[in-house]
Amino acid sequence: MAEDTWLIAGLGNPGTRYRHTRHNIGHMVLDELLERMGATYTRTKVGAKAVGARLAHGGPKVIFAISEGYMNHSGKPVRGLMDYFSVDPAHLVVVHDELDIDFGRLKLKRGGSEGGHNGLKSITQHLGGNRDYLRVRAGIGRPPGQMETADYVLQGFSEAERKELPGFIDRTADAVELLLTEGLTAAQNKVH
């Protein structure tokens, strides 16, 4: 195993139809991280777009990736990249939308349940049931009224949320960097 290699997987759905939806916040955060580094994705043979980089001089090697398939099938490309780059599950960071956290807030954690998130379920399944990976949980809040969850996550952000979204994406990208450079506990103390 390449001891200092990390895989950052941003969850979302492909295509312009889903690009600016709540479910694609993981893609948005990875796009921000790549923009900061001046990097661009390349296609892989495992159904993902990925790029390798270092966060800073002497920092850890990081593979940034987004699946080219749908959210519910995120596990196969994530596992393919982990196998190809010899990434241990403890060095996997998944950036995803989180219904149980208010919009604009984020939480960092290792392991735990998938909370009904199909992208996380797929990853856990392809890791043989191993849940011991890191999650950057970007809050999108609960759907209003009687709206179905599936409809809500596949909708665009409200007008008020769109105004706050760039700052939220920026803070979430900062949290990913903190997680890699300072570790989970230190990052949690600064983010929570």
Side-chain angles (χ1 to χ4, degrees):
M1 179 184 79
E3 206 169 297
D4 69 341
T5 301
W6 290 80
L7 173 62
I8 313 299
L11 300 190
N13 287 311
T16 55
R17 176 180 175 193
Y18 300 107
R19 186 173 188 165
H20 299 290
T21 64
R22 292 179 178 92
H23 225 18
N24 271 39
I25 203 159
H27 282 195
M28 295 175 205
V29 172
L30 261 70
D31 289 346
E32 169 62 23
L33 287 164
L34 265 61
E35 187 175 317
R36 291 177 181 186
M37 294 181 293
T40 56
Y41 295 113
T42 57
R43 284 205 157 104
T44 68
K45 293 180 179 181
V46 297
K49 294 179 184 177
V51 62
R54 291 198 183 268
L55 284 181
H57 180 70
K61 181 179 178 186
V62 182
I63 309 303
F64 296 91
I66 58 172
S67 172
E68 291 189 289
Y70 289 96
M71 175 75 78
N72 297 358
H73 304 288
S74 299
K76 187 175 180 181
V78 167
R79 180 59 192 248
L81 289 168
M82 290 174 69
D83 290 345
Y84 184 81
F85 290 105
S86 300
V87 175
D88 186 89
H91 281 192
L92 169 63
V93 178
V94 179
V95 183
H96 65 90
D97 58 302
E98 179 58 61
L99 288 165
D100 292 328
I101 301 173
D102 291 338
F103 174 80
R105 301 199 57 202
L106 62 126
K107 300 257 182 192
L108 311 175
K109 75 172 192 171
R110 178 181 294 280
S113 81
E114 293 84 10
H117 195 292
N118 290 328
L120 295 177
K121 286 180 183 177
S122 177
I123 291 169
T124 298
Q125 177 188 2
H126 280 85
L127 295 180
N130 186 345
R131 292 182 169 121
D132 192 32
Y133 51 91
L134 294 158
R135 295 107 187 264
V136 177
R137 304 163 67 209
I140 60 168
R142 285 262 165 211
Q146 300 296 317
M147 181 184 283
E148 291 291 323
T149 299
D151 294 335
Y152 178 71
V153 299
L154 295 177
Q155 254 186 12
F157 293 92
S158 71
E159 186 177 337
E161 290 169 339
R162 281 195 304 272
K163 290 177 184 173
E164 294 181 37
L165 189 60
F168 183 36
I169 297 297
D170 195 52
R171 288 192 319 275
T172 308
D174 291 345
V176 172
E177 291 179 343
L178 276 172
L179 188 58
L180 294 181
T181 58
E182 298 187 21
L184 178 59
T185 302
Q188 285 173 323
N189 288 337
K190 290 181 178 178
V191 169
H192 295 178

